Amino acid sequence: MSTTTAATHATGGAPVTQFRVIRSEWIKLWSLRSTTVTLGVAVALLIGVGLIASSVIGNGDGRGPGGDDGPQNPVDISLAGLNLAQLALATLGVLFMASEYSTGMIRSSLAAVPKRLPVLWAKAAVFAAVAFAVGLVASAIAFTGGQAILGDAGASWSDPGVARAVVGTAVVLAGFGVLGIALGALLRSTPAAISTIVGAMFLLPGIAGLVLPDSWGDNVTRVLPPNAAEAFTDVTRNDGTLSPWAGLAVFTAYIAATTIAAAWRLKRTDA
Amino acid sequence: MPTAGRCGAPPGPGIVVPVIEVHELTKRYGDKTAVDGLSFTVRPGVVTGFLGPNGAGKSTTMRMILGLDRPTSGTATVNGRRYAEHAAPLREAGALLDAKAVHTGRSAYHHLLAMAATTGVPRDRVDEVIHLVGLQDVARKRAGAFSLGMGQRLGIASALLADPRVLILDEPVNGLDPEGVLWIRNLMRDLASQGRTVFVSSHLMNEMAVTAEHLIVIGRGRLIADLPVSAFIEQAASNSVRVRSPRASELFQLISGADVSITNVEPGLFDVTGLTAEQIGDRAAAAGIPVHELTPQRPSLEQAFMELTRDSVEYHASTQNERAQAGAAQ
């Protein structure tokens, strides 16, 4: 459609573009109180847990708070809050999308953008950018603070894998946020999407470990979403986990698959 | 001022451009048919009422026009093309689908601002529509705390936001106080007189009789009538006459005949169809029977509407009675 048909008029107005939809989603994100509250919680968890873990280990026997299974590396210790922070961001991602359905806002959103998919792309882009930026600042603070507490046992920015771990933490936070949005769009229900996320994050690895025989349990366990994401941020590679970049690839594949399914449902079914 | 024909060649004078066109529109949910082969055209310059009992398929039809629901078959176009195919859809048609299409945690102002951003509508216009609907005092409050009437006003502000040529309003007077009802009535007439297309649904005939000039009546998803309101009112007139007389039984015998039916309302009071008030009065006078009341009955528009849609009402109150009677008989 040519732009001439939307020539400006007394009140202005112009064709809907992906950029304009992104602006709209930016306004939507920051005009909800749950956004600042949940982001604040995620930041507090990432920094707080990291600092607490660092001080426990700095004063203790040098082993992780989880005993032998816990993080053994000073970088991983200072970023130990990632598990909880990623849950907070996944939840916020779910809320950002699924609350459009629970409140009925989706009908207004799709009346404004009846091509529909730009709404999903814009939500994912805005949320990923915000989660990454906030996550990066929090991750850098957690790392710097944690290493200061650990003192001589701490790592420095120039150590191998440190930059990947710190930036990777922000990437994983953004990734779980987008996963939350995609699940929210796919399931159209806040409780269902949050349950799915919690299940995938905390229950699935445990269940897989219990149910599957050891011979191939590891092969399954290491490609589960939280483990794949963790492989990307861990400085030291543990036995039976994916390499960092394989971890990132698997984690991205989960997000991509869920987002494609969400896009399909958004486009195909009635609002 | 938006007038018809902005897309493409301007129409010649006197040519009315249909702006909402629904053709053989059908929507099925499983084996239930909500909208069944519906075709009609809504023209600019007048308020067109979309009337039908609850569950007749009005909201579904409106959602399909806006591309929110996908038709099982058939087409619906706004200003010559499917709503979703327009570059700036909000500028083509503004809609109030229900007052609940708002995030309860967001302020009215930010709701409108986010809607405006999609279509490049400037911030000034957001303030303008907030004032237009009278929400300036509460615009910064959470929409979740709004009353139904305030929610309707916010919905109307969203509909007017991009100054569209077409307005699609689903039950806009719901929840409004009398002052609000009057306000929206005048607003709809103003918008129509500016040459816009105003398509407004209601299940209340009386409301439509005072607001709309044209009516599209549906029942069970099918078109029942597509006619001017004046024609509907004429059709609604009937020839029943209410007669009150102290010598009712004598009068009864005097006027009874093959084409005359008489219904007893209460002792001394009956309704007559098949004769005019003049005929009954003259015959009574000739026989010396006193008549205390002689009133031609006009069914209310609401009754006429119920008559028209009786066969297509989704949920009969009487069905339950009948079921209860059937149950009692067993």
Side-chain angles (χ1 to χ4, degrees), chain A residues 1 5 7 9 11-16 20 24 28 31-32 99 103-105 107-108 111-112 114-116 267-268 270-271, chain B residues 6 27 67-70 81 83-84 87-89 91 98 100-103 106 110-111 114 117-120 122 125 163:
Chain A
M1 178 146 185
T5 52
H9 141 323
T11 55
V16 175
R20 290 200 170 95
S24 173
K28 280 191 198 170
S31 54
L32 292 177
S99 67
T103 60
M105 177 68 200
R107 290 190 289 280
S108 294
K115 289 192 167 54
R116 298 190 176 190
K267 190 75 184 172
R268 295 289 304 179
D270 292 343
Chain B
R6 186 154 45 88
K27 178 71 177 178
L68 291 171
D69 282 9
R70 177 188 292 263
R81 61 179 77 199
Y83 177 73
R91 289 174 46 75
D98 54 70
K100 292 270 156 56
V102 176
H103 196 298
R106 196 173 282 126
H110 282 106
H111 171 77
T118 60
T119 313
R125 176 64 181 169
D163 198 15

Side-chain angles (χ1 to χ4, degrees), chain A residues 208-219 221:
Chain A
L210 282 175
V211 170
L212 298 170
D214 286 348
S215 55
W216 51 292
D218 277 357
N219 288 326
T221 309

Side-chain angles (χ1 to χ4, degrees), chain B residues 50-72:
Chain B
F50 192 29
L51 201 60
N54 284 329
K58 302 186 297 289
S59 298
T60 306
T61 302
M62 286 180 156
R63 283 202 303 271
M64 285 193 282
I65 293 170
L66 291 161
L68 291 171
D69 282 9
R70 177 188 292 263
T72 308

Side-chain angles (χ1 to χ4, degrees), chain B residues 49-51 200-202 204-212 215 229:
Chain B
F50 192 29
L51 201 60
V200 52
S201 79
S202 179
L204 301 172
M205 179 61 221
N206 287 338
E207 179 55 36
M208 285 298 98
V210 292
T211 311
L215 283 182
V229 170

Side-chain angles (χ1 to χ4, degrees), chain B residues 16-66:
Chain B
V16 180
V17 179
V19 284
I20 299 176
E21 275 188 297
V22 168
H23 183 70
E24 290 295 321
L25 200 63
T26 297
K27 178 71 177 178
R28 288 194 198 93
Y29 298 101
D31 56 359
K32 186 172 156 48
T33 303
V35 175
D36 192 357
L38 200 55
S39 297
F40 60 81
T41 296
V42 185
R43 292 187 163 78
V46 294
V47 175
T48 300
F50 192 29
L51 201 60
N54 284 329
K58 302 186 297 289
S59 298
T60 306
T61 302
M62 286 180 156
R63 283 202 303 271
M64 285 193 282
I65 293 170
L66 291 161

Side-chain angles (χ1 to χ4, degrees), chain B residues 206-251:
Chain B
N206 287 338
E207 179 55 36
M208 285 298 98
V210 292
T211 311
E213 281 178 54
H214 195 88
L215 283 182
I216 291 166
V217 185
I218 65 167
R220 292 207 178 177
R222 293 208 185 97
L223 189 69
I224 292 177
D226 183 345
L227 76 184
V229 170
S230 53
F232 179 87
I233 291 171
E234 240 164 69
Q235 278 186 12
S238 90
N239 54 356
S240 156
V241 179
R242 176 152 290 189
V243 184
R244 191 189 293 277
S245 170
R247 287 155 64 188
S249 53
E250 283 173 63
L251 186 57

